[in-house]
Amino acid sequence: MSQSSLSRAYDPAEVEKKWYSTWEERGYFHADPQSDKPAYSIVIPPPNVTGMLTLGHVLNNSLQDILIRFEKLRGREVCWVPGTDHAGIATQAKVEAQLRQEKGLGRHDLGREKFLEHMWQWKEKYGGTIIRQLRSIGCACDWERERFTLDPKLSAAVQEVFIRLYNKGLVYKGKRIINWCPKSGTALSDEEVIYREEKGKLWYFRYPYSDGSGYVVIATTRPETMLADTAVAVHPEDARYRDKLGKTLTLPLVGREIPLIADDYVEREFGSGAVKITPAHDPNDYEVGLRHGLDMPEVMNDDGTMNKQAGADFDGLDRYQARKLVLQKMEELGLLEKTEEHIHQVGYSERGNVAVEPRLSDQWFVKMEELAKPALEVVEQERVRFHPQRWVKTYRHWMENIKDWCISRQLWWGHRIPAYYCTQCNKLYVSKESPALCVCGCKAFKQDPDVLDTWFSSWLWPFSVFDWPEESRELKRFYPTQSLVTGPDIIFFWVARMIMAGLEFTGDIPFSDVYFTSIIRDEEGRKMSKSLNNSPDPIDVVAQYGADALRFTMAYIAPLGQDIRYSNEKCELGRNFANKLWNLVRFRLSKGAVSSDWQDLEGLPAERLRADDKWILARLQRIVKATGESLQRFSFNEAARNLYDFIWNEFCDWYLESCKSAFEGDCAGAAASRRIFDHAVSVFLRLLHPFMPFVTEELYHQMGFVGPEDSIMLSKWPEEISAEQLEQLGANEELLRLNVAKFELIRALRNLRASYQIPGSRAVSLVIEAVSREAEEFLRDDLDALQSLLNAESIEFAARPEGACGVALSDIGSAYLPLAGVVDLEAELARLRKQEEESSNYLAGLQGKLANANFVARAPEAVVAKERQNVRDTEEKLSRIREQIAVFGQ
């Protein structure tokens, strides 16, 4: 391979298009269940079928891809199962909106069967866009195993689980208070309710005693629900009401008599100590209602409007219109005592984005306590490990306070509940198919119209994707999976439930490690969202910077357990890094053929190696070890930063530069340096491959490390160079110490040139006074490289020369830069004198200001502190200027 075959500039789009199709066509992503390699599997957190790629998806899936490619290089049979979630509420809402817009029809106009035909048509046409987009960022998913939560085999798994839990007594149907979304017309689980702090009002109403002996004052944030009140409660030990217990009150606007009852639930210190009880529209009131045997009238319809039980004046009104009318009528009756501003938490439907209504409703539930205990144990015993570990505390709190899970949804898109009712006697049968005959002799059955919560299929994902309950080859080979990468926002929705399901239905944990990704924020710390217009389209970012640049940047800026501050401009880091890799390979190919024995270091003669060769081998050993350890700890950010620092700062800035002179000629030493250079490139391209798959594949081929029909994906993860081998090659501690000191001297001399404004392109003469004979011999050993790195026309080893000299110091010795003939000594001295005068005047002004007691007393503390720091900085600058003046005065 020659430099001419490698274009001058790296074109990500061309390389990405070529290699992704090649990998897929050759089946590199497909896992073989019959392989004898150790298995490593990941299941993708299935994005909504309606979804489009976001930066959150890029981060999540890039990290999964890093793990998959890392483990493949380590020799494991990797299986990354992709797929999508049917996303009941979100998808149905999207299709319903489209039908209303295009045809003016609702789902009830079409009927269930026709509507579901539209749903499937929409899914086939628009669904799965996000899965296709994942290819654009290089995800090595096993596309032949792509799954959808409504696939026949996954649906069969859902039915099986529902029936098993029902037969075990863990699934039941009951009338309980649930969260209701008036917009979507369905029940929601507690986890699907998002609480927002809002400025509302607290209204104080008077409820008169039925005997005319006075009234009780109650406070409410939801006046419209008073129409369903069936009691007023006070604390049993509240002396204010002790002689009133047993009396009744007349419910205003309704005229119903309701009792004054005592219950420990009431906080007597809050407000008047009396609370209205609305059992059908408040979860706490529902519990009070059960304890006291209260009626539970429901006054709202599914869509959030009031029904007939609310009374003729309110029937058909929207809940907020009803609120206004209640307030108006209570004020007219003189029963609105006062109104206060009130900040409180209001629950919103995650999908519908409207305030939820607590509502008494017939729903299906799962008893969770029995399932939660073993799921908590495996996390506390670290059979399932969380990264970062602090999420264990959050998980434990939720599991120890878990409530039954409402799993039924009043939708049509989803897994229909496998429950059938006899049309004659209403007996319930739970089975995969409609029964043939009821005990009453009837043969007609009606299936429950509800579908299951989307998460009821998602919690089975780690094993249902492998065709459970069948004992498939894939299930035996790839379950349990090893790692899960997901967001902490679904630790309850999904992670906890998957652990429960895995233990309950397979007897094993679903995964060993859970990595919780960071929250991505903009540069101002705001969470990314469409409404703030601060969420870039990743496809546009890929088009501008390249997929590798985006992937590497996301890993680089994503420390474990901390939020990410993202801007598109940060992707310049990844793009510049890809260009750096490209150019270092172009440089190498311009210096002759790649070594034929680049694969290892066997037979490499230590006596032919330069100090820089030995140093880079020691650094290479460190980066191989560090990268492997970081990835096994899920420290993606640490691994990315270490690789960047090694390749850019150590390999390119130091080793590559030193090789420019070493590569000239055909001597054995030059051949050894080329071999080490080539070996190092082969190693760090493999280390970097999980982060930047496209450019590393291209450069691995350009270097000739693999043939046209082969791939870096099929290569082996680099082995660490042993301490014994490094010692045999002469890379001992003393040599490494001297080499670091040499680099410090070079850096100091470069800074010295800059301080005298000597262009880097101008060759200079130098004198070096080494600290010892061994140090001098070390520097002489590779004098050509040293001269190249310093752009020195000559280097003399001697004591300090006479005349004006710049001085650079390091542990290996002192270097002198004779300034005569290099700079205009008189002009430079004059410039320094002027700087000295300006700095002295500035310092005097600062000191005078700080000597003013009035200024110090009245100025803000931060201003005074800043001025004191300015004094210290100016004194240090003045000291450096005077040191240079002393040099010119010699």
Side-chain angles (χ1 to χ4, degrees):
M1 199 70 65
S2 66
Q3 182 186 15
S4 60
S5 66
L6 205 58
S7 61
R8 290 188 63 83
Y10 173 49
D11 181 356
E14 182 183 327
V15 169
E16 290 162 14
K17 183 179 179 182
K18 174 177 76 172
W19 284 118
Y20 197 87
S21 59
T22 299
W23 293 330
E24 196 168 0
E25 288 164 9
R26 292 179 181 174
Y28 292 161
F29 304 154
H30 186 60
D32 179 5
Q34 294 180 304
S35 164
D36 58 2
K37 297 177 183 178
Y40 180 86
S41 55
I42 293 178
V43 291
I44 197 172
N48 289 355
V49 71
T50 60
M52 302 290 282
L53 197 68
T54 66
L55 285 173
H57 292 123
V58 171
L59 174 64
N60 186 298
N61 288 283
S62 292
L63 298 184
Q64 291 176 76
D65 195 52
I66 288 169
L67 292 172
I68 284 290
R69 290 177 183 271
F70 170 56
E71 296 295 351
K72 189 174 184 71
L73 287 168
R74 292 178 75 204
R76 301 176 82 169
E77 190 65 30
V78 300
C79 180
W80 184 12
V81 181
T84 48
D85 194 300
H86 65 279
I89 295 177
T91 310
Q92 180 166 312
K94 193 165 287 239
V95 175
E96 284 192 83
Q98 186 185 56
L99 278 170
R100 280 194 298 271
Q101 186 177 358
E102 294 179 1
K103 299 183 179 182
L105 296 173
R107 60 172 162 144
H108 294 285
D109 298 318
L110 292 171
R112 188 168 196 141
E113 192 174 327
K114 279 286 183 187
F115 177 74
L116 288 176
E117 284 178 16
H118 277 279
M119 291 292 306
W120 281 103
Q121 288 167 8
W122 185 93
K123 185 261 178 186
E124 293 306 317
K125 187 172 181 181
Y126 300 107
T129 298
I130 189 169
I131 289 295
R132 291 189 292 275
Q133 289 176 325
L134 288 176
R135 288 173 160 87
S136 70
I137 59 169
C139 291
C141 296
D142 189 343
W143 297 113
E144 295 175 47
R145 289 192 166 88
E146 184 179 343
R147 297 291 186 264
F148 178 52
T149 49
L150 287 179
D151 284 346
K153 287 192 174 182
L154 275 74
S155 296
V158 169
Q159 279 195 337
E160 178 73 20
V161 163
F162 184 93
I163 292 167
R164 285 193 193 184
L165 291 176
Y166 179 79
N167 291 336
K168 197 174 179 179
L170 294 181
V171 159
Y172 66 94
K173 190 172 188 180
K175 194 159 191 173
R176 291 181 47 181
I177 283 283
I178 49 89
N179 303 295
W180 184 266
C181 175
K183 184 176 181 181
S184 304
T186 183
L188 303 172
S189 68
D190 290 343
E191 292 74 35
E192 291 170 294
V193 178
I194 307 300
Y195 286 89
R196 300 176 188 167
E197 188 176 274
E198 290 189 354
K199 289 182 179 179
K201 285 184 169 58
L202 196 59
W203 290 279
Y204 290 80
F205 290 163
R206 294 174 178 176
Y207 281 16
Y209 287 111
S210 302
D211 62 3
S213 61
Y215 56 82
V216 173
V217 176
I218 60 94
T220 181
T221 58
R222 300 165 65 217
E224 65 280 8
T225 63
M226 69 166 289
L227 303 171
D229 288 356
T230 54
V232 169
V234 296
H235 194 276
E237 297 177 7
D238 194 332
R240 290 173 293 179
Y241 299 101
R242 193 166 292 150
D243 61 342
K244 306 289 186 183
L245 292 175
K247 281 195 169 194
T248 61
L249 302 131
T250 300
L251 182 63
L253 309 185
V254 178
R256 182 168 59 241
E257 287 195 9
I258 59 176
L260 182 70
I261 61 174
D263 196 281
D264 290 334
Y265 155 68
V266 181
E267 296 178 30
R268 52 184 154 174
E269 296 80 14
F270 182 77
S272 66
V275 296
K276 61 192 282 299
I277 302 298
T278 320
H281 294 279
D282 183 275
N284 295 313
D285 293 3
Y286 172 71
E287 298 297 331
V288 174
L290 289 177
R291 287 195 290 273
H292 294 270
L294 300 175
D295 290 337
M296 300 186 181
E298 298 171 55
V299 295
M300 282 192 200
N301 297 312
D302 291 358
D303 60 358
T305 59
M306 310 305 286
N307 62 26
K308 289 180 181 178
Q309 287 204 69
D313 290 343
F314 302 96
D315 184 15
L317 291 181
D318 173 79
R319 54 183 167 163
Y320 296 116
Q321 291 175 326
R323 176 177 296 180
K324 290 179 181 178
L325 187 56
V326 165
L327 292 169
Q328 178 189 322
K329 286 180 174 289
M330 291 293 282
E331 189 168 23
E332 289 171 355
L333 293 170
L335 298 177
L336 175 59
E337 182 163 291
K338 63 178 177 177
T339 303
E340 291 179 350
E341 298 296 321
H342 182 61
I343 296 175
H344 61 144
Q345 297 287 325
V346 178
Y348 274 77
S349 166
E350 185 185 32
R351 294 295 179 192
N353 197 33
V354 294
V356 298
E357 279 296 335
R359 186 178 181 214
L360 190 61
S361 178
D362 257 335
Q363 301 291 338
W364 289 89
F365 297 87
V366 177
K367 294 178 182 177
M368 300 299 283
E369 191 174 347
E370 182 180 326
L371 299 173
K373 287 177 182 176
L376 177 56
E377 285 177 9
V378 295
V379 171
E380 292 191 321
Q381 294 166 0
E382 296 190 353
R383 288 180 59 199
V384 176
R385 296 172 291 273
F386 285 0
H387 310 268
Q389 197 175 16
R390 60 183 166 83
W391 286 109
V392 172
K393 184 178 180 182
T394 305
Y395 178 86
R396 182 188 300 114
H397 177 76
W398 189 72
M399 297 296 266
E400 288 176 345
N401 296 277
I402 199 164
K403 296 178 181 177
D404 288 358
W405 174 16
C406 177
I407 56 172
S408 46
R409 298 292 179 270
Q410 288 62 54
L411 304 169
W412 290 352
W413 177 244
H415 298 97
R416 195 164 177 181
I417 292 174
Y420 299 85
Y421 302 89
C422 172
T423 57
Q424 187 166 312
C425 70
N426 207 39
K427 181 175 175 58
L428 170 66
Y429 292 84
V430 171
S431 58
K432 292 181 181 179
E433 295 178 351
S434 178
L437 184 68
C438 179
V439 291
C440 73
C442 178
K443 296 181 179 180
F445 294 85
K446 184 178 180 182
Q447 187 174 358
D448 194 302
D450 291 352
V451 299
L452 289 161
D453 179 10
T454 296
W455 297 102
F456 196 86
S457 52
S458 300
W459 76 324
L460 314 179
W461 186 252
F463 50 89
S464 65
V465 297
F466 298 121
D467 300 336
W468 182 93
E470 292 178 24
E471 288 290 330
S472 66
R473 288 184 311 174
E474 284 78 4
L475 184 67
K476 292 176 182 176
R477 188 78 171 92
F478 299 118
Y479 184 87
T481 67
Q482 277 63 51
S483 307
L484 176 73
V485 179
T486 188
D489 53 326
I490 55 174
I491 189 171
F492 312 131
F493 280 122
W494 197 45
V495 178
R497 289 172 181 164
M498 281 191 291
I499 297 173
M500 292 185 228
L503 292 169
E504 174 69 17
F505 302 111
T506 73
D508 208 344
I509 55 175
F511 31 70
S512 305
D513 291 277
V514 183
Y515 178 90
F516 292 107
T517 55
S518 311
I519 294 173
I520 304 176
R521 301 184 183 277
D522 63 17
E523 287 285 51
E524 297 176 31
R526 301 175 302 174
K527 196 171 180 179
M528 296 249 171
S529 71
K530 288 182 181 178
S531 61
L532 291 174
N533 197 30
N534 65 347
S535 184
D537 184 340
I539 301 302
D540 294 339
V541 179
V542 169
Q544 184 177 359
Y545 295 97
D548 282 337
L550 176 58
R551 287 169 57 116
F552 184 80
T553 300
M554 293 298 277
Y556 188 92
I557 64 175
L560 177 65
Q562 296 180 36
D563 291 355
I564 294 174
R565 294 291 182 98
Y566 175 87
S567 66
N568 282 351
E569 292 70 29
K570 287 188 176 179
C571 290
E572 290 176 10
L573 176 140
R575 180 173 62 186
N576 292 342
F577 192 36
N579 288 334
K580 192 79 167 178
L581 296 166
W582 192 263
N583 289 329
L584 79 85
V585 170
R586 285 190 78 248
F587 161 77
R588 175 60 188 90
L589 296 178
S590 72
K591 299 298 180 181
V594 172
S595 307
S596 58
D597 48 1
W598 57 267
Q599 295 94 331
D600 55 49
L601 304 172
E602 290 299 321
L604 196 63
E607 66 274 7
R608 292 179 182 172
L609 304 186
R610 301 173 304 125
D612 288 349
D613 296 331
K614 298 171 185 177
W615 172 77
I616 202 63
L617 288 176
R619 302 307 290 165
L620 193 65
Q621 185 273 341
R622 186 198 67 85
I623 195 63
V624 171
K625 184 175 189 292
T627 304
E629 289 177 350
S630 294
L631 290 180
Q632 288 179 73
R633 293 197 316 270
F634 300 91
S635 295
F636 303 100
N637 154 266
E638 180 182 83
R641 286 177 179 268
N642 285 340
L643 281 167
Y644 181 91
D645 290 343
F646 169 76
I647 294 169
W648 193 294
N649 298 327
E650 296 183 342
F651 190 85
C652 291
D653 283 0
W654 291 114
Y655 186 67
L656 184 149
E657 291 298 320
S658 84
C659 284
K660 287 181 177 177
S661 59
F663 282 178
E664 302 303 326
D666 297 319
C667 65
S673 291
R674 287 194 190 95
R675 180 179 172 187
I676 289 173
F677 188 106
D678 298 342
H679 176 72
V681 172
S682 80
V683 167
F684 66 63
L685 286 179
R686 280 175 282 160
L687 297 180
L688 196 56
H689 176 71
F691 295 87
M692 305 179 81
F694 295 109
V695 71
T696 53
E697 180 77 90
E698 178 68 18
L699 295 178
Y700 211 70
H701 278 264
Q702 292 289 347
M703 286 290 289
F705 296 146
V706 286
E709 301 305 313
D710 207 343
S711 169
I712 192 173
M713 285 186 71
L714 307 181
S715 300
K716 290 184 178 179
W717 186 256
E719 294 181 6
E720 294 176 31
I721 306 170
S722 68
E724 293 77 12
Q725 193 172 17
L726 284 173
E727 188 68 32
Q728 290 168 7
L729 293 171
N732 53 54
E733 289 296 324
E734 178 60 15
L735 176 134
L736 299 178
R737 185 188 68 79
L738 288 171
N739 218 54
V740 170
K742 178 183 72 175
F743 291 149
E744 287 175 358
L745 187 67
I746 292 167
R747 193 177 291 113
L749 277 165
R750 288 174 174 173
N751 291 338
L752 188 66
R753 290 176 69 123
S755 70
Y756 290 118
Q757 300 179 345
I758 302 169
S761 58
R762 179 173 178 178
V764 294
S765 296
L766 297 170
V767 176
I768 295 178
E769 186 177 10
V771 295
S772 66
R773 182 178 297 175
E774 290 77 16
E776 183 177 324
E777 288 175 0
F778 177 82
L779 292 172
R780 286 181 181 276
D781 208 34
D782 194 13
L783 198 56
D784 288 345
L786 189 60
Q787 284 188 238
S788 174
L789 288 166
L790 290 169
N791 193 17
E793 60 184 4
S794 68
I795 295 178
E796 180 185 356
F797 290 89
R800 175 175 181 150
E802 294 183 1
C805 289
V807 183
L809 305 173
S810 96
D811 289 346
I812 205 166
S814 303
Y816 305 104
L817 173 58
L819 298 173
V822 177
V823 299
D824 185 330
L825 298 180
E826 289 186 10
E828 184 66 15
L829 188 58
R831 183 180 71 83
L832 290 168
R833 294 284 189 201
K834 184 178 180 183
Q835 282 189 358
E836 180 187 29
E837 182 182 359
E838 290 172 350
S839 296
S840 295
N841 292 338
Y842 180 60
L843 180 61
L846 291 172
Q847 290 170 333
K849 187 185 290 186
L850 290 170
N852 184 339
N854 195 37
F855 166 76
V856 174
R858 293 191 174 188
E861 200 173 308
V863 172
V864 175
K866 185 178 179 182
E867 294 294 57
R868 285 179 174 146
Q869 184 61 47
N870 285 340
V871 167
R872 290 190 288 271
D873 293 343
T874 307
E875 286 174 340
E876 186 181 338
K877 180 181 178 183
L878 199 53
S879 175
R880 291 198 304 270
I881 292 170
R882 285 169 177 163
E883 283 175 7
Q884 291 190 47
I885 288 173
V887 168
F888 282 93
Q890 293 173 358

